[in-house]
Amino acid sequence: QVQLVESGGGLVQAGGSLRLSCAASGRTFSNYIMGWFRQAPGKEREFVAAINRSGSNTYYADVGEGRFTISRDNAKNTVYLQMNSLKPEDTAVYGCAARKNYGWGLTALDYDYWGQGTQVTVSS
């Protein structure tokens, strides 16, 4: 089992930045590919970004390309999502997830463990 706890969400004006954190406990953190997803009201959960076990490779959905940066610190068992140039359409609950299998996980079904999520609200 892996327990994931997100933090760092909040209210920010359009054009602003937020840094989300996801702290993991339980099994060895570096054994998992980590991903960030988001879900806006009335919409399906959406893949945002993923990072491999060592942190040497990342993958982004179009929504985050160029504005969001995923990173991880395996010594701290934490994965981050730096979000810049935020837009009102980025408003959503953001959650991190852990994947134990190999290969990028681009859908929610590809991940094995989830945090509870953190609310990000971007005002216009």
Side-chain angles (χ1 to χ4, degrees):
Q1 287 280 352
V2 175
Q3 292 77 43
L4 303 172
V5 179
E6 301 94 336
S7 61
L11 175 64
V12 64
Q13 289 187 334
S17 299
L18 280 175
R19 187 195 196 200
L20 306 183
S21 299
C22 172
S25 61
R27 298 290 181 91
T28 304
F29 179 66
S30 58
N31 286 347
Y32 296 87
I33 289 172
M34 298 300 296
W36 282 98
F37 286 75
R38 69 185 187 183
Q39 188 166 20
K43 295 188 177 181
E44 292 188 355
R45 191 175 300 182
E46 177 181 39
F47 170 78
V48 174
I51 189 166
N52 68 347
R53 290 169 175 78
S54 67
S56 63
N57 201 6
T58 57
Y59 190 96
Y60 295 93
D62 290 343
V63 293
E65 189 70 49
R67 298 188 299 127
F68 296 174
T69 302
I70 187 172
S71 62
R72 68 191 294 164
D73 186 338
N74 286 342
K76 296 182 178 180
N77 291 347
T78 302
V79 61
Y80 305 96
L81 185 67
Q82 176 68 43
M83 304 187 294
N84 299 327
S85 303
L86 283 163
K87 307 173 183 178
E89 51 264 43
D90 293 319
T91 295
V93 174
Y94 285 71
C96 65
R99 170 176 167 80
K100 58 186 177 182
N101 291 331
Y102 286 89
W104 291 121
L106 303 184
T107 72
L109 291 176
D110 294 327
Y111 288 80
D112 304 286
Y113 303 103
W114 291 85
Q116 82 290 349
T118 185
Q119 176 70 47
V120 172
T121 303
V122 184
S123 63
S124 58

